[in-house]
């Protein structure tokens, strides 16, 4: 039952040799990177959607919104076809490490979506750049670059659930009207949030184990510092199987969260959508999924149907077929960015000209900003760290910031406390079609993150002053304190009750729906996927009752 003692891992405190050796192991991960060989290529699944076919319902994307829609439609007796541009990782071959997914410290060709160089959220460590060249591949994490921000998203059957931290947070009731002002909060808190939490398999860490395991020393240090500065500190629920994680600590099952797996997929322990909503959906026998299929167009066809154009790709991104299928109804569940980009392009290019002027607007990044603090030598955060955050600092009401106490699972003692803050940043950006470049641009500016930084500083300036500590300057470049160039939480672009009616029906086109994070106007006050799931549960119930 005991947690792994620090000494068992050979840690005897700080030593420069170990620090450098550890850094070397991160950098040296490049050696593990292999060429994409024939062993990684494989034939398409037999259930691929046929060219020229017709389906009653087509769902674009297999993340939270799409999975809820597919399950509930199937349970109502309706046949559903889902299309997903990423891979089906459940059938992907193992990599050179003998595993499906690599560690966060050893990115390789499986890690990034169609890049030739990795783009890790933490670009540097102790002054060393961490990114390295990889073969272009349909990897699991997309670092999608716009002019002012890099948006990280999951790619594959299961969407963001494949790569995220699993933090499953319901916003506080008093904040809900700022999250979704047109939605009845009583219904959400009585029915749809509980339904979402149950469907996702949300649970809480065992507080006794938390107190004794070496793997959450970083979180206990985070608590001590937060509380000494007078901040509210709280446990945060998660979809990771907490009993499995304790068994990992006991050495009775293969390690995943306790073996540096997270950003590029977990081989065990996490209740991803393929294990929850999608497993249930498939079990109905009414849901089929075409992976490695990207939707490129949707336009009205005869008889009230829609013609959907798809690009089937191989794992190197080459188009191997173009298909057109007809669908009675189409659900846009490609994520905030994917759905917004499609709708903005389809409106501008004349495929869906009747979409209203709200399409593309109201996009925000949930106020994400990252920072690290350098602790004193007598305040180590642990050379072993669970990749799954389990706690946060709540200064939302006083300072507009909620900070996850996040891990830095490098395998060495870093003496760093690391945080991802969600802030009340009021800025909203817009997607527009750039006809000359034939792409969709996003108007977000990096300078807008100054608002988020100011809110995050309400927590960390105070802690630094109380503890006599300073900010780390080596994690996001050289001499750069704030991770202000990225988000994990894209939201909005087809906002509920603006681009759609109050249940996600797109204006101008009966039978077209939005059912993902694009509906939420830029901020959820906490991590977003429980709210995306709960809103999808609410909307699909109404749509099934009235439209199908
Ligand atoms: P999403 O899950 O992104 O699914 C959209 C799917 O559509 C993806 O699988 C795409 O590949 C696919 N797609 C896109 N375009 C097309 C197309 N044209 N054709 C076919 N398929 C397409 O959307 N949230 C939390 O609440 N807690 C956390 O701890 C947390 N940690 C995160 C950590 C990381 C590193 C990242 C990247 C995100 C994290 N998030 C977290 C955010 C969360 O995963 C995200 O809000 C949801 O996944 C969004 O759900 P959607 O259904 O909107």
């Amino acid at each position: 039952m005991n947690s792994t003692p620090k000494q068992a891992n050979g840690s005897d405190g700080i030593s420069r040799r170990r620090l450098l050796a550890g850094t070397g192991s991160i950098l040296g991960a490049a050696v593990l990177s292999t060429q994409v060989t024939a062993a990684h290529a494989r034939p398409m699944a037999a259930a691929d959607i046929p060219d020229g076919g017709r389906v009653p319902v087509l769902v674009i994307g297999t993340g939270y919104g799409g999975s809820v829609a597919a399950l509930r439609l199937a349970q109502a007796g309706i046949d559903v076809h889902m299309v997903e541009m990423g891979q089906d990782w459940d059938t992907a071959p193992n990599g050179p490490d003998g595993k499906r997914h690599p560690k966060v410290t050893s990115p390789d060709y499986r890690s990034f979506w169609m890049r030739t160089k990795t783009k890790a959220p933490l670009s540097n460590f102790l002054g060393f750049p961490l990114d390295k060249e990889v073969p272009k591949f349909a990897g699991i994490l997309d670092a999608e670059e716009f002019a002012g921000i890099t948006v990280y998203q999951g790619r594959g059957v299961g969407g963001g659930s494949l790569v995220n931290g699993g933090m499953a947070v319901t916003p506080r009731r008093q904040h809900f009207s700022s999250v979704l002002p047109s939605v009845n909060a009583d219904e959400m808190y009585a029915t749809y949030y509980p339904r979402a939490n149950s469907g996702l398999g949300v649970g809480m860490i065992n507080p006794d184990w938390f107190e004794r395991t070496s793997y959450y020393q970083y979180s206990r240090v985070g608590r001590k510092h937060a509380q000494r500065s007078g901040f509210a500190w709280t446990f945060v629920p998660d979809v990771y199987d907490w009993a499995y994680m304790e068994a990992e600590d006991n050495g009775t099952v293969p390690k995943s969260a306790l073996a540096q797996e997270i950003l590029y997929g977990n081989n065990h322990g996490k209740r991803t959508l393929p294990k929850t909503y999608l497993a249930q959906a498939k079990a109905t026998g009414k849901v089929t999924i075409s992976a490695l299929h990207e939707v490129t167009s949707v336009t009205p066809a005869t008889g009230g149907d829609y013609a959907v154009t798809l690009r089937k790709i191989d794992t190197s991104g080459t188009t191997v077929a173009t298909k057109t299928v007809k669908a009675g109804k189409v659900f846009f569940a490609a994520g905030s960015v994917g759905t917004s980009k499609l709708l903005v392009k389809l409106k501008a290019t004349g495929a869906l000209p009747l979409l209203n002027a709200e399409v593309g607007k109201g996009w925000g990044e949930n106020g994400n900003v990252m920072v690290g603090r350098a602790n004193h030598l007598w305040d180590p955060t642990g050379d072993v760290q669970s990749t799954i955050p389990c706690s946060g600092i709540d200064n939302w009401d006083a300072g507009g910031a909620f900070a996850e106490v996040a891990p830095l699972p490098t395998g060495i003692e870093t003496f760093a406390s690391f945080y991802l803050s969600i802030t009340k940043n009021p800025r909203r950006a817009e997607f527009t079609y750039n006809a000359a470049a034939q792409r969709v641009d996003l108007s977000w500016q990096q300078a807008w993150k100054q608002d988020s930084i100011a809110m995050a500083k309400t927590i960390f300036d105070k802690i630094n002053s109380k503890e006599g500590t300073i900010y780390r300057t080596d994690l996001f470049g050289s001499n750069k304190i704030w991770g202000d160039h990225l988000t994990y939480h894209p939201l909005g672009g087809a906002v509920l009750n603006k681009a759609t009616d109050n249940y996600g029906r797109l204006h101008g086109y009966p039978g077209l729906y939005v059912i993902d994070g694009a509906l939420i106007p830029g901020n959820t006050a906490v991590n977003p996927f429980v709210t995306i799931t709960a809103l999808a549960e609410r909307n699909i119930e109404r749509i099934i009752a009235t439209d199908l």
Side-chain angles (χ1 to χ4, degrees):
M1 287 296 289
N2 283 338
S3 55
T4 310
K6 205 160 154 261
Q7 290 76 2
N9 288 307
S11 169
D12 51 3
I14 185 167
S15 101
R16 184 177 152 71
R17 190 177 56 80
R18 282 210 69 206
L19 271 178
L20 292 178
T23 311
S25 78
I26 295 168
L27 297 171
V31 190
L32 278 183
S33 168
T34 51
Q35 292 303 311
V36 183
T37 62
H40 306 124
R42 63 184 183 284
M44 298 295 157
D48 275 2
I49 197 162
D51 185 25
R54 183 187 185 276
V55 293
V57 173
L58 187 122
V59 176
I60 309 171
T62 57
Y64 292 90
S67 300
V68 171
L71 172 61
R72 301 306 175 201
L73 287 162
Q75 286 174 332
I78 298 155
D79 286 316
V80 179
H81 201 105
M82 307 181 82
V83 288
E84 166 57 54
M85 68 193 273
Q87 301 197 55
D88 180 354
W89 289 95
D90 281 346
T91 60
N94 288 343
D97 52 5
K99 296 182 176 164
R100 181 82 22 97
H101 304 294
K103 296 180 177 207
V104 72
T105 45
S106 313
D108 63 16
Y109 67 93
R110 293 166 287 176
S111 303
F112 282 90
W113 178 256
M114 302 300 172
R115 299 186 76 90
T116 51
K117 191 171 184 192
T118 64
K119 193 170 171 67
L122 264 68
S123 57
N124 290 64
F125 191 62
L126 298 173
F128 294 93
L130 298 177
D131 287 315
K132 64 183 200 200
E133 291 181 5
V134 286
K136 191 174 149 206
F137 191 71
I140 202 165
L141 181 66
D142 194 354
E144 189 169 359
E145 292 178 81
F146 294 97
I149 192 162
T150 301
V151 184
Y152 285 87
Q153 298 151 89
R155 292 276 175 256
V157 173
S161 78
L162 301 170
V163 297
N164 67 31
M167 297 180 79
V169 198
T170 300
R172 280 199 272 145
R173 175 75 173 75
Q174 65 263 39
H175 298 151
F176 185 79
S177 62
S178 73
V179 176
L180 286 163
S182 65
V183 173
N184 181 328
D186 292 338
E187 282 180 11
M188 289 296 284
Y189 283 81
T191 305
Y192 302 109
Y193 273 117
R195 190 175 293 172
N197 277 293
S198 156
L200 292 164
V202 176
M204 194 69 106
I205 191 169
N206 166 2
D208 293 336
W209 179 66
F210 171 79
E211 295 299 343
R212 62 176 194 269
T213 178
S214 307
Y215 289 93
Y216 280 111
Q217 185 177 331
Y218 74 93
S219 222
R220 295 193 297 271
V221 169
R223 173 179 62 185
K224 180 175 70 181
H225 292 170
Q227 291 179 341
R228 282 208 289 232
S229 286
F231 292 114
W233 176 92
T234 173
F235 279 123
V236 170
D238 202 282
V239 297
Y240 201 90
D241 181 338
W242 291 107
Y244 186 90
M245 202 191 294
E246 277 194 62
E248 291 180 46
D249 194 5
N250 294 337
T252 53
V253 295
K255 286 188 170 54
S256 183
L258 305 192
Q260 302 172 318
E261 292 177 2
I262 176 79
L263 207 47
Y264 310 129
N266 279 87
N267 289 301
H268 312 278
K270 191 160 72 168
R271 295 191 184 102
T272 58
L273 290 167
K275 292 184 180 155
T276 55
Y277 274 96
L278 285 172
Q280 275 197 61
K282 281 190 189 166
T284 64
K286 300 191 92 50
V287 176
T288 348
I289 303 177
S290 291
L292 291 170
H293 279 63
E294 182 188 7
V295 171
T296 55
S297 182
V298 178
T299 196
T302 49
D305 279 354
Y306 288 91
V308 180
T309 312
L310 302 154
R311 188 170 82 91
K312 175 176 163 179
I313 57 170
D314 65 16
T315 50
S316 68
T318 305
T319 303
V320 292
T322 304
K323 303 178 182 178
T324 303
V325 298
K326 291 218 175 118
K329 309 216 178 289
V330 178
F331 286 80
F332 287 81
S336 156
V337 175
T339 290
S340 305
K341 283 197 323 189
L342 267 175
L343 293 177
V344 163
K345 182 184 87 173
L346 297 178
K347 177 174 164 63
T349 55
L352 294 175
L354 305 181
L355 292 175
N356 76 13
E358 293 291 335
V359 163
K361 292 186 178 158
W363 187 86
E365 32 64 275
N366 216 19
N368 280 187
V369 67
M370 290 181 180
V371 75
R373 294 178 35 255
N375 293 322
H376 296 295
L377 289 186
W378 58 84
D379 226 358
T381 46
D383 60 351
V384 293
Q385 301 196 355
S386 170
T387 55
I388 298 295
C390 74
S391 68
I393 302 167
D394 191 348
N395 195 37
W396 191 261
D397 291 334
F402 173 88
E404 292 173 14
V405 180
L408 260 185
T410 57
I412 56 168
E413 177 56 61
T414 62
F415 296 92
S417 286
F418 186 56
Y419 309 89
L420 168 63
S421 297
I422 293 160
T423 66
K424 218 186 272 184
N425 192 322
R427 307 276 188 167
R428 296 294 176 266
E430 181 175 353
F431 292 94
T432 49
Y433 190 63
N434 179 335
Q438 295 193 10
R439 62 154 199 261
V440 177
D441 292 332
L442 178 61
S443 65
W444 185 269
Q445 296 173 31
Q446 191 165 346
W448 293 355
K449 288 272 196 186
Q450 285 307 319
D451 294 358
S452 297
I453 291 172
M455 293 178 211
K457 278 162 75 78
T458 66
I459 297 176
F460 304 115
D461 276 2
K462 193 167 175 193
I463 291 180
N464 274 341
S465 149
K466 177 82 183 166
E467 300 297 325
T469 51
I470 55 170
Y471 290 110
R472 291 283 287 235
T473 57
D474 62 324
L475 299 174
F476 302 104
S478 94
N479 250 339
K480 184 161 164 45
I481 291 176
W482 296 94
D484 59 355
H485 60 295
L486 82 175
T487 185
Y488 287 173
H489 298 166
L491 292 166
V495 168
L496 189 80
N497 217 24
K498 291 189 170 174
T500 72
D501 77 353
N502 205 21
Y503 289 88
R505 301 178 185 97
L506 273 161
H507 291 302
Y509 293 97
L512 293 190
Y513 308 88
V514 175
I515 191 146
D516 59 15
L519 291 172
I520 297 174
N523 206 301
T524 50
V526 289
N527 314 60
F529 75 61
V530 174
T531 297
I532 294 170
T533 306
L535 183 65
E537 289 279 18
R538 165 194 180 267
N539 292 355
I540 199 67
E541 187 176 87
R542 172 65 65 101
I543 289 164
I544 288 170
T546 57
D547 298 17
L548 289 146

